[in-house]
Amino acid sequence: MDFMHFDFSLLFSWEILFAIVLGTLYGLLIGSLPGLGSTVGIALLLPVTYSMSPVAAIIMLAAVYQAGEYGGSISSIVLGVPGTPSATATVLDGSPMAKQGKPGEALGYSITGALIGGGIGAIILLTLSIPLSTLAIRFSDPEFFLLGVLGLVCVAGLSSKDLPKSIISVLLGLMLGMVGLDVATGSARFTFGSYALMDGISMVALLIGMFAVAEVFSMLGQSSDKKIVTDTKNLKTKITWQQFKGVRKTYIKSSFIGGFVGILPGLGAGPASWFAYTEAKRTAKNPENFGKGEPNGIAAPESANNAAVGGALVPLTTLGIPGSPATAVILGAFLIHGITPGPNVFENQPDLVYSIFWGFFIATIAMYFIGKYTTPLFSSMLKMPTFMLSPIILFIAIMGVYASRINLFDVWIAVVVGVAAYILKKLDFSLPSIILAFILGPIIETSLRRSLLISGGNVEIFFTRTYSLVILMIIVLLIAMLILQSVKKRKSNPPKNVQA
Amino acid sequence: MSYRLATYLSLLFLVGLGGLFIYTSLQFNEGAGGQVIGPAFFPQLVSGLLIVMCIISAFTTWRKEKTSEDTLTIPQLKYILFTIAALVIFVALWDLFGLFYLFAFLFLFSLFYVYNRTDSKKKRILKAVGLSIAIGLFIYLVFEKLLNVII
């Protein structure tokens, strides 16, 4: 229990406290601006850390990462536009709850989830770093392929309205994810001669198009002077003890899901939040309430994506493997300060490692208090009438797309995707399914091809490894449950009058 | 337009997209990189499945009970079309000439003015000018000054 024999006075210096507060405020801002996520935020702040001590620098960047994940939910809830890809699942229930005039309550569920998820992530980091990273490195391409498939099965089952359209949405997302240079061979795929498409379709452009542009079109259908929030009391970011009790199990379960998925390199907070959301819906007493402002639908993704932050720091600190783009930038900060993360750093510099871990824990608590008192400023936007709010959302979202890669082509993509998404949404296709398939597609394809390369084309590689088998069994179980639910639903609502 | 017809049209478009992906992937270099499965395998598999699922979806739509909610309504279509046109013109002008702040002001002004259906003409102009300047200032301070984004 080395982490308990730590000299806490090392953390209570003005420099470190300043780093936590600055990192948290900056992370909240950058996360809440659609398009800019934690990775961009950390990269932009990296030069500021050159003159700081290594511990303060890393803690500040970890605080940005943590607060950025929560910040993403502010935009998801208040504007209906995910601030970060990992906050996409939060839109599904956060935005409807805000539209019911309760943005403060929705943000309360979110920030409490961020605190619990972040706290559990930090505890995982402090206590289980070494055993979990050992487990994570046993996960290889066959397991990543199957985890990706598991994610797709989960998300395809999310839409209970029209399963074939939900599956089509998944396939469409996979197809969009194939655009660009093929990683294995360097072939240009579906770029149609455009250099701008060589890097693939920008995730931010896709997100903003689907959620911001399409959301503005939906808002235009409402009365121009309609205000979402009329009572200032509803802006306070808080939930009552009774409300907390209703979602506490979801918080805990989702935090562990997020923490574990975060540890696996390449997956990160986005898939973690979707896995948690699906699990919360699957085990809920009233799954039909999901998508209509269900508290568990906010609690699950928000605790999972913040727990994934702590999880993502596990392979980084213990093995020196950055599991996500954000941790890759943090690895850069480690190296700039002359620290090479990995097993040796635990032996040679335990104080440094545990300073970072405990600092991360304190940053999570700081995020809760700073977030609680600053988010009402964001949610007060909902007091504006629709005719003011919709151009603001549209314009800031477009700027977010541009700023993410300083590329106007991405803005064009967002416009086209926005129009297409509005039509697809009207026709009951599932936009979240498209997004998750877009995220998971490249992981699935690369892992499948690598697995078959390792096995010389033998598909037995997916059935003969212990971890693969466990994931495969979960997939089969989920599919069986989906079919069973569908049959039950059909039996309870038999078609009355079938006609063309 | 009826919901059914719109669904059939969208599925037809998606079948076309699937066909285009399959056709394009036939030209990929399959032998490259010593891969067991090449760059065309996954696109062909997914596109093929997409076409199959579109057919299944068309069949399930055809089998569905006809209800009174079968009409696809797009409320305030003229505002949506105006927004798309304004957006396309703004991005095209920005792309061609730069002058971001000028075109951004005009774009925002047009949206604030057109969306405001309650105030008098004078108030609409004043509000649109004030809000457009404020948003432009916000973008300048946050994106250009704080985040060093070159616009």
Side-chain angles (χ1 to χ4, degrees):
Chain A
M1 299 288 272
D2 285 343
F3 69 93
M4 292 305 286
H5 301 123
F6 170 72
D7 179 7
F8 285 92
S9 66
L10 290 172
L11 281 177
F12 292 96
S13 69
W14 284 111
E15 188 191 19
I16 288 177
L17 294 176
F18 175 73
I20 289 173
V21 173
L22 181 72
T24 304
L25 282 169
Y26 181 76
L28 285 171
L29 174 72
I30 207 110
S32 63
L33 288 172
L36 302 173
S38 309
T39 310
V40 176
I42 294 167
L44 287 169
L45 206 61
L46 196 57
V48 178
T49 67
Y50 293 166
S51 55
M52 295 170 81
S53 72
V55 175
I58 307 294
I59 289 176
M60 183 161 82
L61 299 181
V64 175
Y65 192 7
Q66 183 75 287
E69 288 303 330
Y70 165 65
S73 76
I74 298 173
S75 177
S76 291
I77 291 166
V78 177
L79 307 177
V81 181
T84 56
S86 57
T88 313
T90 312
V91 175
L92 302 185
D93 285 283
S95 178
M97 188 182 275
K99 282 177 184 161
Q100 288 160 17
K102 299 183 284 187
E105 189 183 321
L107 288 164
Y109 281 114
S110 166
I111 200 163
T112 312
L115 173 71
I116 294 171
I120 289 179
I123 292 166
I124 289 173
L125 191 63
L126 279 162
T127 55
L128 298 167
S129 278
I130 293 168
L132 281 176
S133 55
T134 315
L135 176 77
I137 52 169
R138 287 194 186 146
F139 268 61
S140 186
D141 286 304
E143 286 77 23
F144 283 118
F145 168 71
L146 291 168
L147 272 175
V149 175
L150 175 67
L152 295 187
V153 173
C154 286
V155 81
L158 271 181
S159 165
S160 50
K161 209 170 180 181
D162 192 330
L163 192 59
K165 280 185 181 169
S166 191
I167 296 172
I168 290 172
S169 308
V170 168
L171 295 167
L172 194 60
L174 289 175
M175 283 164 70
L176 293 173
M178 290 172 205
V179 176
L181 282 183
D182 175 40
V183 185
T185 61
S187 308
R189 298 195 304 181
F190 314 113
T191 55
F192 304 104
S194 161
Y195 285 109
L197 282 174
M198 291 282 188
D199 265 352
I201 294 172
S202 152
M203 153 80 80
V204 173
L206 201 67
L207 268 182
I208 296 290
M210 281 195 180
F211 290 94
V213 180
E215 174 68 20
V216 168
F217 292 160
S218 301
M219 284 172 82
L220 292 177
Q222 301 164 358
S223 164
S224 68
D225 56 348
K226 185 192 167 190
K227 290 177 185 174
I228 294 169
V229 174
T230 47
D231 190 349
T232 321
K233 274 193 293 184
N234 293 335
L235 296 175
K236 273 190 182 170
T237 306
K238 66 167 187 179
I239 51 169
T240 62
W241 176 245
Q242 282 303 318
Q243 287 166 334
F244 173 77
K245 276 192 351 193
V247 291
R248 64 186 167 180
K249 282 181 189 164
T250 304
Y251 278 141
I252 304 293
K253 191 165 60 177
S254 305
S255 299
F256 280 104
I257 292 174
F260 181 69
V261 177
I263 291 167
L264 301 172
L267 289 179
S273 61
W274 281 111
F275 282 128
Y277 184 88
T278 318
E279 177 58 17
K281 188 179 176 185
R282 193 184 65 78
T283 52
K285 282 178 189 161
N286 302 308
E288 66 279 3
N289 289 348
F290 278 69
K292 298 172 189 165
E294 165 62 40
N296 284 294
I298 306 170
E302 279 310 303
S303 41
N305 64 25
N306 276 84
V309 175
L313 292 174
V314 170
L316 175 73
T317 47
T318 55
L319 305 167
I321 300 170
S324 63
T327 47
V329 187
I330 296 179
L331 173 65
F334 270 104
L335 298 174
I336 286 165
H337 287 277
I339 309 158
T340 310
N344 289 339
V345 83
F346 273 84
E347 275 183 28
N348 303 332
Q349 294 168 287
D351 274 351
L352 177 100
V353 174
Y354 289 114
S355 294
I356 293 168
F357 288 3
W358 277 111
F360 176 70
F361 191 76
I362 295 168
T364 304
I365 297 166
M367 174 199 66
Y368 177 77
F369 287 104
I370 295 172
K372 192 173 159 68
Y373 294 104
T374 52
T375 36
L377 292 172
F378 291 96
S379 43
S380 59
M381 277 184 82
L382 295 180
K383 286 195 294 182
M384 285 183 189
T386 312
F387 84 85
M388 284 187 191
L389 197 56
S390 37
I392 293 173
I393 294 175
L394 187 64
F395 194 68
I396 292 178
I398 290 293
M399 287 314 299
V401 176
Y402 175 75
S404 66
R405 296 207 296 194
I406 318 287
N407 189 347
L408 260 169
F409 184 78
D410 290 347
V411 178
W412 282 116
I413 295 219
V415 174
V416 174
V417 168
V419 177
Y422 179 71
I423 299 165
L424 290 174
K425 199 176 161 191
K426 281 267 167 199
L427 294 172
D428 297 321
F429 286 91
S430 164
L431 301 186
S433 300
I434 299 178
I435 291 290
L436 189 64
F438 179 80
I439 297 172
L440 292 176
I443 299 171
I444 292 173
E445 187 185 5
T446 312
S447 312
L448 172 70
R449 288 167 70 180
R450 275 201 214 132
S451 302
L452 292 177
L453 196 64
I454 296 164
S455 69
N458 189 349
V459 289
E460 273 183 25
I461 193 164
F462 299 110
F463 309 103
T464 48
R465 298 164 61 93
T466 316
Y467 295 117
S468 289
L469 266 176
V470 172
I471 304 167
L472 206 60
M473 277 159 61
I474 298 172
I475 294 172
V476 172
L477 210 72
L478 263 174
I479 293 174
M481 280 174 61
L482 267 175
I483 295 168
L484 209 73
Q485 273 175 0
S486 178
V487 171
K488 262 188 184 175
K489 206 175 148 189
R490 204 172 289 173
K491 273 187 182 171
S492 58
N493 303 309
K496 292 170 203 163
N497 191 13
V498 178
Q499 50 177 285
Chain B
M1 187 189 281
S2 87
Y3 178 88
R4 255 165 218 262
L5 182 64
T7 298
Y8 293 139
L9 287 174
S10 67
L11 293 172
L12 195 68
F13 173 78
L14 291 171
V15 167
L17 191 70
L20 177 71
F21 265 55
I22 291 177
Y23 174 74
T24 312
S25 63
L26 292 173
Q27 292 149 29
F28 295 160
N29 184 7
E30 277 299 281
Q35 299 278 306
V36 176
I37 52 170
F41 173 79
F42 201 60
Q44 285 170 1
L45 176 76
V46 173
S47 308
L49 280 172
L50 180 84
I51 294 171
V52 172
M53 283 313 300
C54 284
I55 295 166
I56 294 174
S57 181
F59 181 69
T60 50
T61 308
W62 175 71
R63 265 178 61 91
K64 256 181 204 164
E65 191 184 340
K66 256 192 179 172
T67 61
S68 54
E69 291 166 11
D70 197 34
T71 318
L72 186 74
T73 48
I74 300 178
Q76 307 288 358
L77 180 64
K78 60 180 179 179
Y79 286 100
I80 294 174
L81 293 176
F82 173 79
T83 308
I84 295 169
L87 198 53
V88 168
I89 293 169
F90 163 60
V91 181
L93 288 172
W94 179 17
D95 203 354
L96 285 171
F97 304 107
L99 302 169
F100 168 78
Y101 288 101
L102 173 69
F103 295 128
F105 174 80
L106 294 173
F107 170 65
L108 284 166
F109 177 85
S110 68
L111 295 190
F112 283 125
Y113 183 80
V114 172
Y115 291 172
N116 187 351
R117 291 168 236 165
T118 45
D119 290 326
S120 66
K121 194 176 176 183
K122 199 177 163 187
K123 264 190 174 178
R124 284 163 77 185
I125 293 174
L126 281 174
K127 276 186 183 174
V129 169
L131 284 165
S132 305
I133 292 172
I135 302 296
L137 202 64
F138 172 80
I139 295 294
Y140 174 73
L141 292 174
V142 174
F143 284 85
E144 285 217 59
K145 288 288 157 194
L146 187 67
L147 303 174
N148 289 322
V149 175
I150 304 150
I151 301 173

